[in-house]
Amino acid sequence: AVKGAPRAVIHFYNSTSALQRKVVFNTDKQGVTDIAVNAAKLIKQLGNKAKADGTNIIYEYSPESFMGTETDFAAEICATVMDALDASESNKVILNLPSTVESSTPNLFADQIEYFCRCLPHREHAIISLHPHNDRGCAVADAELGVLAGADRIEGTLFGNGERTGNMDIVTMAMNLFSHGIDPELDFSDMS
């Protein structure tokens, strides 16, 4: 892409959990992998048209219901999607790992993230992003431990106002980092 060209993140997802494979899609692991790969190929084809016009496209894929997906399978489907998008060091794909329903403690979520990062082929071709929900009130802890476990990026909302029971509060996370001497690169000059 041309330096300074408009940038677009194209995000697509499908649920990969055992329960949703059975109940929603009535298929197996290969069936949901096919859904993800077919979407990746279509999105890449359409994205190539925008790239030809000078837009810098970054692709983002989420194995929705990551916490209910076998971690080995989550890494496998993400690797397959990365291959379909021709991920590389210079063409990284964002892999967004959501705690769609926060169903475990933060340490278990972090263990899942760490294991995923170890199992993912060509980890250097991915930006690992987390999208913690706050069903159990632990979204900030999920995010902080997830970063320690290998995540590169966190998605959140201001003060946690978001989908369903809320998303990770980016302000609390940023202030926690700031209080430990880590610059979150956010402007806190007008908190009110």
Side-chain angles (χ1 to χ4, degrees):
V2 178
K3 188 173 180 140
R7 180 178 148 180
V9 176
I10 299 175
H11 184 193
F12 63 105
Y13 63 93
N14 63 300
S15 188
T16 56
S17 71
L19 180 62
Q20 291 200 5
R21 288 193 309 261
K22 179 180 177 183
V23 175
V24 175
F25 295 114
N26 191 30
T27 191
D28 56 9
K29 291 178 181 178
Q30 186 58 54
V32 294
T33 300
D34 291 344
I35 292 169
V37 169
N38 290 336
K41 288 178 180 177
L42 176 60
I43 287 168
K44 184 178 177 218
Q45 177 186 358
L46 297 171
N48 285 341
K49 292 178 183 178
K51 283 184 177 184
D53 293 334
T55 301
N56 181 11
I57 303 285
I58 298 171
Y59 298 106
E60 179 174 353
Y61 172 69
S62 294
E64 185 189 11
S65 300
F66 170 76
M67 290 185 75
T69 302
E70 304 88 332
T71 309
D72 289 326
F73 177 56
E76 179 184 313
I77 194 170
C78 286
T80 305
V81 166
M82 288 170 57
D83 288 343
L85 295 171
D86 295 323
S88 66
E89 287 267 0
S90 61
N91 183 38
K92 292 186 179 193
V93 172
I94 299 170
L95 298 176
N96 180 45
L97 309 177
S99 62
T100 309
V101 175
E102 187 184 34
S103 59
S104 70
T105 57
N107 62 307
L108 293 178
F109 182 62
D111 288 346
Q112 198 174 12
I113 300 304
E114 182 177 14
Y115 186 74
F116 175 89
C117 290
R118 286 184 186 169
C119 292
L120 183 68
H122 304 293
R123 165 64 176 93
E124 69 278 7
H125 298 171
I127 298 167
I128 305 302
S129 179
L130 305 181
H131 182 95
H133 280 247
N134 205 34
D135 305 76
R136 294 171 45 94
C138 298
V140 170
D142 285 343
E144 290 178 344
L145 289 176
V147 168
L148 291 173
D152 304 305
R153 177 179 180 266
I154 301 292
E155 294 182 359
T157 59
L158 295 176
F159 307 111
N161 296 319
E163 310 157 61
R164 297 183 348 269
T165 57
N167 290 330
M168 197 277 303
D169 178 2
I170 201 78
V171 174
T172 299
M173 170 116 184
M175 292 301 289
N176 287 354
L177 291 171
F178 191 74
S179 72
H180 287 282
I182 300 167
D183 182 2
E185 300 182 23
L186 295 178
D187 181 1
F188 295 120
S189 63
D190 187 17
M191 288 291 284
S192 62

mmCIF file of all heavy atoms in Angstrom, residues 11 14 46 55 60 71 96 99 105 152 169-170 174 187:
data_model
loop_
_atom_site.group_PDB
_atom_site.id
_atom_site.type_symbol
_atom_site.label_atom_id
_atom_site.label_comp_id
_atom_site.label_asym_id
_atom_site.label_seq_id
_atom_site.Cartn_x
_atom_site.Cartn_y
_atom_site.Cartn_z
ATOM 1 N N HIS A 11 -13.134 -6.377 9.075
ATOM 2 C CA HIS A 11 -13.275 -7.380 10.133
ATOM 3 C C HIS A 11 -14.381 -8.363 9.757
ATOM 4 O O HIS A 11 -15.482 -7.956 9.423
ATOM 5 C CB HIS A 11 -13.616 -6.669 11.439
ATOM 6 C CG HIS A 11 -13.693 -7.579 12.624
ATOM 7 N ND1 HIS A 11 -14.233 -7.176 13.814
ATOM 8 C CD2 HIS A 11 -13.319 -8.864 12.822
ATOM 9 C CE1 HIS A 11 -14.187 -8.175 14.691
ATOM 10 N NE2 HIS A 11 -13.637 -9.205 14.096
ATOM 11 N N ASN A 14 -16.797 -15.702 12.283
ATOM 12 C CA ASN A 14 -17.837 -16.723 12.391
ATOM 13 C C ASN A 14 -17.585 -17.472 13.695
ATOM 14 O O ASN A 14 -16.452 -17.563 14.165
ATOM 15 C CB ASN A 14 -17.859 -17.672 11.187
ATOM 16 C CG ASN A 14 -16.607 -18.493 11.022
ATOM 17 O OD1 ASN A 14 -15.515 -17.952 10.860
ATOM 18 N ND2 ASN A 14 -16.738 -19.806 11.060
ATOM 19 N N LEU A 46 -12.392 -8.716 -2.875
ATOM 20 C CA LEU A 46 -12.974 -7.371 -2.851
ATOM 21 C C LEU A 46 -11.960 -6.337 -2.349
ATOM 22 O O LEU A 46 -11.905 -5.217 -2.848
ATOM 23 C CB LEU A 46 -14.229 -7.356 -1.982
ATOM 24 C CG LEU A 46 -15.383 -8.239 -2.477
ATOM 25 C CD1 LEU A 46 -16.488 -8.313 -1.433
ATOM 26 C CD2 LEU A 46 -15.918 -7.740 -3.809
ATOM 27 N N THR A 55 -5.939 2.195 -1.248
ATOM 28 C CA THR A 55 -6.341 2.051 0.154
ATOM 29 C C THR A 55 -5.497 0.968 0.821
ATOM 30 O O THR A 55 -5.275 -0.095 0.259
ATOM 31 C CB THR A 55 -7.837 1.676 0.266
ATOM 32 O OG1 THR A 55 -8.609 2.705 -0.354
ATOM 33 C CG2 THR A 55 -8.264 1.537 1.719
ATOM 34 N N GLU A 60 -8.993 -8.396 9.569
ATOM 35 C CA GLU A 60 -9.156 -8.849 10.951
ATOM 36 C C GLU A 60 -10.160 -9.993 10.960
ATOM 37 O O GLU A 60 -11.259 -9.864 10.437
ATOM 38 C CB GLU A 60 -9.654 -7.701 11.839
ATOM 39 C CG GLU A 60 -9.874 -8.099 13.280
ATOM 40 C CD GLU A 60 -10.224 -6.930 14.192
ATOM 41 O OE1 GLU A 60 -10.168 -5.760 13.744
ATOM 42 O OE2 GLU A 60 -10.550 -7.194 15.363
ATOM 43 N N THR A 71 -8.818 -24.719 21.929
ATOM 44 C CA THR A 71 -7.753 -23.781 21.590
ATOM 45 C C THR A 71 -6.927 -24.256 20.396
ATOM 46 O O THR A 71 -6.552 -23.450 19.539
ATOM 47 C CB THR A 71 -6.857 -23.507 22.813
ATOM 48 O OG1 THR A 71 -7.696 -23.145 23.919
ATOM 49 C CG2 THR A 71 -5.902 -22.363 22.551
ATOM 50 N N ASN A 96 -8.511 -11.531 16.198
ATOM 51 C CA ASN A 96 -9.228 -10.989 17.339
ATOM 52 C C ASN A 96 -9.848 -12.146 18.122
ATOM 53 O O ASN A 96 -10.687 -12.865 17.590
ATOM 54 C CB ASN A 96 -10.306 -10.018 16.840
ATOM 55 C CG ASN A 96 -11.087 -9.426 17.960
ATOM 56 O OD1 ASN A 96 -10.537 -9.000 18.965
ATOM 57 N ND2 ASN A 96 -12.393 -9.389 17.805
ATOM 58 N N SER A 99 -13.676 -12.892 24.224
ATOM 59 C CA SER A 99 -14.355 -13.650 25.265
ATOM 60 C C SER A 99 -15.828 -13.283 25.091
ATOM 61 O O SER A 99 -16.386 -12.492 25.835
ATOM 62 C CB SER A 99 -13.830 -13.315 26.664
ATOM 63 O OG SER A 99 -14.051 -11.970 26.986
ATOM 64 N N THR A 105 -12.293 -17.592 34.610
ATOM 65 C CA THR A 105 -11.523 -16.593 35.351
ATOM 66 C C THR A 105 -10.419 -16.031 34.457
ATOM 67 O O THR A 105 -10.024 -16.663 33.471
ATOM 68 C CB THR A 105 -10.918 -17.221 36.619
ATOM 69 O OG1 THR A 105 -10.119 -18.351 36.228
ATOM 70 C CG2 THR A 105 -12.005 -17.672 37.584
ATOM 71 N N ASP A 152 -1.188 -8.546 21.522
ATOM 72 C CA ASP A 152 -0.555 -7.315 21.064
ATOM 73 C C ASP A 152 -1.487 -6.113 21.126
ATOM 74 O O ASP A 152 -1.031 -4.977 21.056
ATOM 75 C CB ASP A 152 -0.136 -7.466 19.582
ATOM 76 C CG ASP A 152 0.758 -8.646 19.347
ATOM 77 O OD1 ASP A 152 1.800 -8.745 20.018
ATOM 78 O OD2 ASP A 152 0.416 -9.485 18.484
ATOM 79 N N ASP A 169 -13.369 -1.873 29.682
ATOM 80 C CA ASP A 169 -13.290 -0.421 29.844
ATOM 81 C C ASP A 169 -11.873 0.039 29.520
ATOM 82 O O ASP A 169 -10.951 -0.159 30.305
ATOM 83 C CB ASP A 169 -13.678 -0.035 31.263
ATOM 84 C CG ASP A 169 -13.574 1.456 31.546
ATOM 85 O OD1 ASP A 169 -13.234 2.229 30.628
ATOM 86 O OD2 ASP A 169 -13.831 1.847 32.696
ATOM 87 N N ILE A 170 -11.706 0.643 28.359
ATOM 88 C CA ILE A 170 -10.390 1.065 27.903
ATOM 89 C C ILE A 170 -9.805 2.153 28.804
ATOM 90 O O ILE A 170 -8.591 2.255 28.960
ATOM 91 C CB ILE A 170 -10.439 1.510 26.414
ATOM 92 C CG1 ILE A 170 -9.050 1.450 25.787
ATOM 93 C CG2 ILE A 170 -11.047 2.872 26.240
ATOM 94 C CD1 ILE A 170 -8.629 0.080 25.412
ATOM 95 N N ALA A 174 -6.281 1.721 30.594
ATOM 96 C CA ALA A 174 -5.240 2.716 30.324
ATOM 97 C C ALA A 174 -4.729 3.354 31.616
ATOM 98 O O ALA A 174 -3.522 3.551 31.784
ATOM 99 C CB ALA A 174 -5.772 3.783 29.374
ATOM 100 N N ASP A 187 -4.906 10.299 25.566
ATOM 101 C CA ASP A 187 -4.928 11.651 26.121
ATOM 102 C C ASP A 187 -5.920 11.702 27.282
ATOM 103 O O ASP A 187 -7.124 11.566 27.088
ATOM 104 C CB ASP A 187 -5.338 12.628 25.012
ATOM 105 C CG ASP A 187 -5.376 14.064 25.494
ATOM 106 O OD1 ASP A 187 -5.061 14.340 26.680
ATOM 107 O OD2 ASP A 187 -5.744 14.938 24.680
#
